[in-house]
Amino acid sequence: MPERAKRLAGSLVDAALDGERLAVGLISGTSMDGIDAALVRLSGPPEQLQVRTLAALTMPYPKRLRLRLLRMAAGETTCSGEISELNFLVGDLFARAALQVCRRARVAPRRLAVIGSHGQTVFHQGRFALRHAGSGRGLRTPSTLQIGEPAIIAQRTGTCVVANFRTADMAAGGEGAPLVPLVDYLLLRHESASTVALNLGGIANLTVIPAGADPDAVFGFDAGPGNMVIDTLMRRQTRGRRSYDAGGRLAAQGRVIGSLFTELTRFPFFRRPPPKSAGREQFGESFVKRYFTGQRARLADLLRTATQLTAWAVAEALRRFVFPRLRVDRLVVSGGGVHNRLLLSTLRDYLPHVAIELSDRYGLPADFKEAIAFAILADRTLRGLPGNLPAVTGARRPVILGQIAPGRSPQ
Ligand SMILES: Nc1ncnc2c1ncn2[C@@H]1O[C@H](COP(=O)(O)OP(=O)(O)O)[C@@H](O)[C@H]1O
Ligand SMILES: [Mg+2]
């Protein structure tokens, strides 16, 4: 372990950091469906990192909490007291998810070298998004806020927690997102095959890793909605009873509404060249309200149209911004959207020449790639290694990410 990292980590971590070490990664994404937790064993030097997932689980948010978070993220009026309370409530749930994944793997929490917690984003607006979308709320300074108090996770588990990963990249002039591309690069790069990693979370994001590339040649951006439009439609039309279209089965019973689909494909975001990122501001409630309400159509048809749009947006992003630069050999897909069979088969129809594979094939269970990524990023932080890719986030330089909440001191 480099001297600088040792000083940084102080007595917070044990010598296990040099060889095999156990780490937990925690995240709840923009879908706000629940907390993904993964316990991994890391080994090897950072550039030839080996990862093995020992246990992983999703702890769904209690329904009421989820609705509070969704309301807050949608920009509804809140107060600092509510944000403060939610930070502690969510922190408590993140701690429980960490303890549960340790139990599942039969690993005592004190054996962990580190926990990397992304937290729950409740607001994110980088410089770029601010310039292009405006916040509509009179906000002018780029900022980001992830909640889920790391001190609570550290106290409950006795383990050192790295959290607030996005802020250092933004302080160095970056967008603060996406951060997973470095991990995609470390784990999916290939000497002779160009790879695109696609995560179908609330938003669909892409990491492009040219064959044999240096980190500088990696780029990544958001293609459009992942599950967000489908989920929002589902929640609205069932008055909150259902929050996603399981397996894409309801959409599969419907038909694409041609005129609506054409109108949706004209949404300016899809044409705008990268770097670009999207969130609820682009594809949340207001998007669904604007385009889908007032349509006299069955829910199945609306869902089918939303599913078609989601697959189209990924294919369109590749056609416009990636294929002109390189031949893509494989598309490695992860995120909850992989369970939507209609979405995946539509994507295959749009991209007949690309091999579409699940990330599981590369030792990254599709539902947990992002959780695993934050375990790895936390490990890098303790080693004094940067976690951002300036070519992707626009930061002025590579920076060590995160803030550390110490665990219990050694007895
Ligand atoms: N069985 C399923 N069928 C269809 N969609 C699913 C299924 N399971 C999960 N999903 C979708 O995946 C989403 C969660 O994916 P996730 O990768 O956790 O996204 P995020 O990172 O935004 O939280 C759910 O909101 C839902 O839309
Ligand atoms: Mg999720």
Side-chain angles (χ1 to χ4, degrees):
M1 182 167 161
E3 207 40 50
R4 193 156 63 112
K6 261 190 206 150
R7 254 185 291 124
L8 185 72
S11 62
L12 304 173
V13 292
D14 56 33
L17 257 178
D18 272 344
E20 278 195 355
R21 60 263 185 214
L22 299 174
V24 162
L26 304 169
I27 184 170
S28 173
T30 45
S31 299
M32 297 190 172
D33 52 321
I35 302 156
D36 299 326
L39 196 161
V40 292
R41 183 192 294 131
L42 304 177
S43 54
E47 304 311 316
Q48 263 94 45
L49 191 70
Q50 304 282 320
V51 185
R52 202 184 140 81
T53 306
L54 303 184
L57 53 87
T58 300
M59 208 175 83
Y61 277 138
K63 205 164 170 183
R64 250 180 55 85
L65 175 67
R66 180 171 194 227
L67 290 177
R68 282 179 79 185
L69 291 168
L70 281 167
R71 274 204 305 273
M72 188 152 92
E76 281 187 27
T77 311
T78 181
C79 62
S80 46
E82 181 169 34
I83 299 171
S84 176
E85 181 185 55
L86 286 173
N87 182 39
F88 271 55
L89 270 175
V90 171
D92 178 64
L93 291 174
F94 269 66
R96 283 197 226 175
L99 291 171
Q100 207 172 326
V101 80
C102 287
R103 263 198 306 277
R104 180 85 53 100
R106 295 177 194 280
V107 165
R110 70 185 147 70
R111 286 180 52 206
L112 299 177
V114 69
I115 295 175
S117 177
H118 171 274
Q120 173 71 63
T121 296
V122 291
F123 187 80
H124 182 90
Q125 195 126 52
R127 196 184 306 275
F128 182 81
L130 208 56
R131 201 166 55 231
H132 285 270
S135 74
R137 296 174 223 175
L139 303 174
R140 303 205 186 297
T141 310
S143 73
T144 189
L145 184 62
Q146 283 73 43
I147 62 169
E149 180 50 49
I152 297 181
I153 310 170
Q155 287 304 313
R156 295 279 159 78
T157 57
T159 303
C160 158
V161 176
V162 181
N164 291 326
F165 287 88
R166 301 196 183 279
T167 48
D169 180 79
M170 285 178 80
E175 292 292 309
L179 299 177
V180 179
L182 173 64
V183 176
D184 286 331
Y185 168 77
L186 290 172
L187 300 180
L188 298 173
R189 71 181 191 271
H190 193 279
E191 269 315 304
S192 55
S194 291
T195 305
V196 174
L198 165 67
N199 192 66
L200 292 169
I203 294 296
N205 53 60
L206 299 173
T207 305
V208 184
I209 312 160
D214 289 335
D216 289 350
V218 174
F219 62 104
F221 60 97
D222 289 346
N227 302 289
M228 192 173 280
V229 176
I230 300 169
D231 285 3
T232 307
L233 257 176
M234 202 66 188
R235 238 188 342 266
R236 279 180 77 92
Q237 305 293 102
T238 65
R239 292 175 205 280
R241 270 178 294 128
R242 289 167 67 183
S243 58
Y244 63 95
D245 179 17
R249 282 192 286 276
L250 198 48
Q253 292 166 27
R255 286 219 195 122
V256 175
I257 307 165
S259 53
L260 174 59
F261 178 72
T262 308
E263 193 188 351
L264 290 165
T265 60
R266 295 201 185 113
F267 191 64
F269 180 87
F270 301 125
R271 279 197 307 271
R272 195 190 306 147
K276 57 180 178 176
S277 70
R280 290 198 175 274
E281 294 79 4
Q282 285 75 29
F283 297 108
E285 284 288 334
S286 55
F287 182 86
V288 168
K289 228 175 177 165
R290 173 165 161 203
Y291 290 104
F292 287 86
T293 47
Q295 292 282 336
R296 295 161 144 268
R298 296 185 307 151
L299 174 58
D301 294 344
L302 296 176
L303 284 170
R304 179 83 191 223
T305 309
T307 307
Q308 189 83 17
L309 176 76
T310 304
W312 172 87
V314 171
E316 180 70 4
L318 290 171
R319 278 196 297 255
R320 270 183 192 264
F321 309 119
V322 182
F323 293 164
R325 291 163 73 166
L326 52 105
R327 193 192 74 209
V328 173
D329 297 298
R330 45 185 202 173
L331 185 68
V332 180
V333 193
S334 60
V338 303
H339 301 292
N340 186 327
R341 296 178 59 172
L342 178 66
L343 178 56
L344 248 61
S345 67
T346 312
L347 195 59
R348 288 203 161 92
D349 292 343
Y350 273 120
L351 298 168
H353 304 298
V354 179
I356 299 184
E357 306 167 334
L358 293 191
S359 63
D360 302 60
R361 220 181 132 163
Y362 300 94
L364 294 167
D367 284 313
F368 301 102
K369 191 184 88 171
E370 298 211 313
I372 294 166
F374 282 92
I376 293 170
L377 290 174
D379 178 64
R380 290 182 69 86
T381 297
L382 290 194
R383 290 160 165 266
L385 295 169
N388 63 336
L389 284 176
V392 173
T393 64
R396 284 184 288 274
R397 55 186 168 271
V399 286
I400 305 172
L401 301 178
Q403 289 149 18
I404 295 173
R408 260 170 237 142
S409 52
Q411 301 300 311

